[in-house]
Amino acid sequence: MSTSNPRRQDASKSRRPALLTAVAALAVAGGTAVPVPALAAGGTPVAATTLQQDFTAAADAYHVPRQVLLAVAYQESAWDTHAGQHSTDGGFGPMHLTDVTPAMMAGGDAGAAGRGELAKLAGDPALHSLQAAAKLTGLPAEELRTDAAANIRGGAALLASYQKAVTGSGSKGSTDSTDSTDSTDPGNWYAAVARYSQATDRQGAAAFADRVFATVRKGAHRTTADGEHVKLSADSDVDPATGQLASLDLTSAADTGTECPATVACTFVPASPSNGQVSDRPANGIRIDSIVIHDTETSYDTAISLFQRPGGSASHYVMRASDGAVTQMVPTKDLAFHAGNYSTNMHSIGIEHEGYAAHGATWYTEAQYEATAELVKYLAGRFGIPLDREHLIGHDNVAGPNSSLVSGMHWDPGPSWDWNHFMSLVGVHTGRHGVGPVGSVVTIAPRFADNLQTVQICPSDDPTGATTACTETQQPSDFVYLRTGPSDTAPLFGDQALHPGAAGTDRINDWGSTAVAGQQFVVAGQDGDWTAVWYGGSKVWFHNPHGCNTAPAHGVKVITAAGTSPVAVYGSSYPDAAEYPAGLSPSTQAALSMYSVPAGQAYVATVAPSLTDDFFPSSGRVVTGAKAMYTIQYNHRVGLVYASDVTATDG
């Protein structure tokens, strides 16, 4: 996870797989201290202060119990300042003051690029606590973004304002006649802390406040990423006034049931409403046709708490590593912002797995695989989801919604998710290994335990801080490397979005030079122990002696260009602008500029094309277009092509 925008353009740099932010991940590597100069009245520089002193000063200025302020910041950021960069859910500084922009929503897990409602999505007041703090403190918004001391003052001011709204008090020694609560008692700040979460439901607000007061009671200490040591002493005598929660007049999701098979231990904890959209799938005509497998890049509990925070992402389900226990966070009828592509979010269910992709297979337990398989079989049967690798996909297989976002799409669950084993658990077997003639279809099927591949892992790939230097490591893997020729010395294929005109790399996050177990491609050539397939508009090669890494595939559609011109590839499937009724803002899309299906090449689709569509949550309106698009296995990711542009034959 990255506290700054993880969508970088160079695959040699970090593009961490997690949809979550690292602001609450507590195992971040320390660095060197960077003192931030404070300003006295009139802008005169004063001596630099420590972060610990900044918390004390802000608590005193706004009469917030110091331990409450420290505990809130600990839950929001683990006290990291992030040097003025925002988290992926638009939060700044130790207090995680949010100021979400349309650009963040476009490039984040909402994947809302091109949507007419983008400004409205980003305009939710819950996503702009930084602006509210600026008004309360009189400090410029930019200072709250970039200066840790100012940011902490902003958070303290917000807490004080919430306390006054709830109790009529908020300052030590207040003489206000409405002051019926002792605001010097940390326990009497329960409702203010719950309000700070920006949650709109009782469960989410209470869960945040409970975590904060658990931190107050047990204490905490750590060295931040800037090298500052911060400590909160334990205060086990604090008794949080949980009854205050009723004063916030929040809605309750207590009656929401889980949607899990009886064989899986399942509980429901609601995600923040801003991290998805209420819908009525599939009753309203929006098909649910795919399931996306993720990993959290955090602990199980941290993932759940982050999904409850407004402005970020959420998944329908979170799976615990140790025992396969499940927390459902979004009803399947609703959209969750999990995939970084709105079209995919519309038609998919997201399942997060506790784990870290850079740590190999160590986090993906058999309990997790088996529980997920049970859940997937249940969901597939309920919604008619095809059990193939164009519809059971990793986050790393999701298409980029537009050209500028392709290079930064996430790469979880990483090369150590054993797709062959997982697919066998849901009842899909690849069959005998081998490879057919040119023009036939193969399924990528390396034997995971025997398929040792070398990858480079760097510190930025590992949010736990356990990786301290870039290291080459060999590990069981679910992929084969793709090269530009039939030789071990031929360069790795460089995906056009990641390495335009250059070779690929063996960096663990460089998805562009790999084909993953379960993916299907059309054979383009054979040369001794090497097999070629059509992939991403090119002919690429992988080592495949005696077909040990493939199995012949049948019962699919082979897609080719209908004419002599290359066929455009898309990342989303919206109707044409003219197909939207008056009064609805059309979503827009354009072909992915770096990709096409050249004449003479062939790609695989497993189901019939689907009509384009769009959704307007404010009215519940679903708009369906007249054109249909095939989902094809294009490269490491799926892509979309208009059915009218291609010819489909049985393969």
Side-chain angles (χ1 to χ4, degrees), residues 530-599:
W530 292 78
T531 298
V533 294
W534 299 118
Y535 177 99
S538 298
K539 184 177 182 179
V540 298
W541 297 83
F542 60 95
H543 196 230
N544 192 30
H546 308 293
C548 69
N549 290 320
T550 55
H554 306 283
V556 300
K557 293 293 183 183
V558 175
I559 304 299
T560 57
T564 58
S565 299
V567 172
V569 176
Y570 293 80
S572 54
S573 56
Y574 297 130
D576 291 345
E579 296 179 301
Y580 286 79
L584 297 181
S585 299
S587 297
T588 60
Q589 65 184 20
L592 301 177
S593 59
M594 68 289 292
Y595 297 144
S596 69
V597 174

Side-chain angles (χ1 to χ4, degrees), residues 29 44 52 78 111 114 124 151 231 249 324 377 394 399 442 446 485 497 528 534 584 592 604:
T44 304
Q52 190 92 37
D124 184 345
N151 186 275
K231 181 179 180 180
D249 195 26
K377 286 188 291 185
V442 291
W534 299 118
L584 297 181
L592 301 177
V604 174

Side-chain angles (χ1 to χ4, degrees), residues 286-606:
I286 298 177
R287 68 188 184 280
I288 301 175
D289 65 5
S290 58
I291 294 172
V292 182
I293 301 295
H294 304 259
D295 85 353
T296 59
E297 296 297 294
T298 71
S299 70
Y300 176 74
D301 291 335
T302 297
I304 292 169
S305 68
L306 288 173
F307 286 159
Q308 293 176 295
R309 190 164 66 193
S313 57
S315 196
H316 292 86
Y317 300 91
V318 185
M319 316 291 290
R320 189 160 61 197
S322 60
D323 57 2
V326 183
T327 295
Q328 184 175 1
M329 303 198 70
V330 179
T332 59
K333 71 179 183 64
D334 296 338
L335 279 67
F337 292 162
H338 65 99
N341 183 318
Y342 190 89
S343 284
T344 302
N345 290 336
M346 274 183 66
H347 301 295
S348 69
I349 293 170
I351 304 177
E352 284 281 347
H353 295 78
E354 182 181 24
Y356 299 87
H359 290 192
T362 57
W363 278 88
Y364 303 137
T365 64
E366 186 60 23
Q368 215 175 30
Y369 278 121
E370 292 184 5
T372 302
E374 290 294 306
L375 178 60
V376 165
K377 286 188 291 185
Y378 161 80
L379 295 170
R382 182 177 167 192
F383 298 113
I385 299 170
L387 293 175
D388 62 52
R389 287 283 283 111
E390 283 181 15
H391 298 88
L392 304 184
I393 61 177
H395 199 179
D396 58 324
N397 304 134
V398 174
N402 67 25
S403 299
S404 66
L405 298 175
V406 172
S407 66
M409 295 295 288
H410 289 188
W411 54 277
D412 60 300
S416 295
W417 177 263
D418 188 349
W419 276 107
N420 282 340
H421 178 51
F422 175 70
M423 294 301 288
S424 71
L425 289 174
V426 301
V428 177
H429 304 277
T430 56
R432 297 182 62 182
H433 282 78
V435 59
V438 172
S440 66
V441 177
V442 291
T443 301
I444 304 299
R447 294 179 175 88
F448 183 80
D450 300 329
N451 183 41
L452 301 179
Q453 299 287 4
T454 298
V455 295
Q456 183 188 63
I457 302 174
C458 291
S460 57
D461 302 320
D462 182 2
T464 69
T467 302
T468 58
C470 291
T471 305
E472 295 276 350
T473 184
Q474 192 178 70
Q475 59 187 30
S477 301
D478 67 357
F479 71 89
V480 294
Y481 275 120
L482 304 174
R483 298 186 179 274
T484 56
S487 168
D488 285 327
T489 60
L492 290 171
F493 174 72
D495 184 90
Q496 301 92 313
L498 302 177
H499 307 285
T505 73
D506 66 357
R507 181 75 174 270
I508 193 172
N509 63 14
D510 192 348
W511 47 265
S513 58
T514 62
V516 181
Q519 294 183 317
Q520 295 177 321
F521 299 98
V522 177
V523 176
Q526 297 183 44
D527 188 336
D529 290 341
W530 292 78
T531 298
V533 294
W534 299 118
Y535 177 99
S538 298
K539 184 177 182 179
V540 298
W541 297 83
F542 60 95
H543 196 230
N544 192 30
H546 308 293
C548 69
N549 290 320
T550 55
H554 306 283
V556 300
K557 293 293 183 183
V558 175
I559 304 299
T560 57
T564 58
S565 299
V567 172
V569 176
Y570 293 80
S572 54
S573 56
Y574 297 130
D576 291 345
E579 296 179 301
Y580 286 79
L584 297 181
S585 299
S587 297
T588 60
Q589 65 184 20
L592 301 177
S593 59
M594 68 289 292
Y595 297 144
S596 69
V597 174
Q601 295 189 11
Y603 293 83
V604 174
T606 60

Side-chain angles (χ1 to χ4, degrees), residues 9-55:
Q9 303 302 308
D10 182 352
S12 67
K13 298 180 180 178
S14 171
R15 280 188 307 282
R16 291 180 179 167
L19 67 157
L20 305 174
T21 67
V23 292
L26 305 184
V28 181
T32 56
V34 182
V36 180
L39 297 180
T44 304
V46 297
T49 62
T50 67
L51 204 60
Q52 190 92 37
Q53 291 171 328
D54 291 336
F55 280 109

